[in-house]
Amino acid sequence: MALGMPVASANAATEAQAAACGVKVAKPALTADGRIRASASRSGCDSTALVRIRVKRAQAGTDPVIKSGARRTTGGKVTVTLPCTPGVYYAVVTDYRGNTGKSRATRLTCAPSTPTPTASPTSSATPKPTPTATSSSTPKPSATATPPAGTVGTAEENEVVRLTNVERAKGGCQPLKHDAQLRQAAFGHSSDMATQNYLSHTSKDGRTFMDRIRGAGFTGGSGWAENIAMGQSTPAAVMTSWMNSSGHKANIMNCKYTLIGVGAAKNSKGQIYWTQNFAAK
């Protein structure tokens, strides 16, 4: 049974940077073939760092991350491209060493001849963090069941929540509440992994688990973590796998977390991909 390495956020001390070290980011623009391109650069630095650029679409409420990309560099450029859908876009960059930047927002109308992302032949290379994303060349993953109206999660997903709280009670932790936005992020990732046949905390388009959580509209919080797994056929089986792995168990038994989101999706062969997202709020 495949298990992904558990991940959790952590605050790392940053070293003092030279005054000249910094990052810049250009506003998103259309390419000649009608795609959106955004670039960020790092210069004047004497140490290597991971530079990440995120393209966001401005909208009411939380602005979702549409595309993310990263590379390790001392002084170089990071560029991402994505299919164009009309809207207002901007880009943000960080090198995780205290240097950040944000571009001006710009409205992109897209060329009339540019296909929408769902019709584009490259849409399968741009996974969406929602269970409704489809590709004409890739079988659509299915949820293990359809959540009843007004509830959070399917019966199988809620059984994982229940079993998680049973284990937490043994360690003196309070039960976790199934959060709709964390569940959306979790199911979106399970669906994406099932569609594209991979098991990783990093999406094929470069998004991290935190990108997916924020993209689902989750705001605030002071700590987050994610567990993933593939191939276990029941909630009990996947919980056994996680509890037998020290890193995954540590996330489950971390008493600071108060919310959970569980997503389960089947691929075309009927194998289930499982995701747990945790948050302290």
Side-chain angles (χ1 to χ4, degrees), residues 90-222:
Y90 63 95
V92 294
V93 62
T94 180
D95 66 358
Y96 300 98
R97 297 294 178 87
N99 297 309
T100 61
K102 179 180 177 180
S103 76
R104 291 187 292 113
T106 182
R107 181 175 295 277
L108 300 176
T109 58
C110 307
S113 60
T114 302
T116 62
T118 54
S120 168
T122 60
S123 62
S124 61
T126 310
K128 306 293 188 298
T130 64
T132 57
T134 61
S135 169
S136 59
S137 61
T138 305
K140 178 181 178 181
S142 61
T144 54
T146 301
T151 64
V152 177
T154 66
E156 283 184 313
E157 291 164 352
N158 281 305
E159 177 63 5
V160 172
V161 175
R162 187 189 72 81
L163 292 173
T164 297
N165 285 331
V166 168
E167 296 297 337
R168 286 171 61 85
K170 297 175 184 177
C173 298
Q174 293 297 310
L176 299 169
K177 178 183 177 182
H178 205 182
D179 179 81
Q181 292 169 328
L182 291 180
R183 190 266 171 182
Q184 179 183 339
F187 179 76
H189 190 45
S190 290
S191 177
D192 187 49
M193 291 190 293
T195 299
Q196 302 204 70
N197 191 32
Y198 73 99
L199 186 71
S200 173
H201 292 287
T202 302
S203 301
K204 289 286 190 178
D205 63 358
R207 287 175 298 128
T208 66
F209 79 108
M210 279 304 305
D211 292 331
R212 295 187 293 270
I213 288 173
R214 293 305 192 201
F218 188 91
T219 59
S222 58

Side-chain angles (χ1 to χ4, degrees), residues 12-119:
T14 58
E15 298 179 351
Q17 298 291 307
C21 181
V23 292
K24 294 181 180 180
V25 60
K27 68 179 182 180
L30 284 180
T31 63
D33 60 355
R35 293 172 65 83
I36 297 174
R37 174 179 293 166
S39 298
S41 60
R42 187 172 189 258
S43 61
C45 306
D46 57 7
S47 62
T48 300
L50 181 68
V51 179
R52 180 173 295 280
I53 182 174
R54 296 180 176 90
V55 178
K56 294 189 173 186
R57 183 170 58 230
Q59 63 180 46
T62 303
D63 296 342
V65 175
I66 306 302
K67 188 67 178 287
S68 173
R71 61 172 290 203
R72 289 192 173 276
T73 182
T74 301
K77 180 180 289 187
V78 183
T79 300
V80 294
T81 60
L82 61 150
C84 185
T85 299
V88 177
Y89 295 86
Y90 63 95
V92 294
V93 62
T94 180
D95 66 358
Y96 300 98
R97 297 294 178 87
N99 297 309
T100 61
K102 179 180 177 180
S103 76
R104 291 187 292 113
T106 182
R107 181 175 295 277
L108 300 176
T109 58
C110 307
S113 60
T114 302
T116 62
T118 54

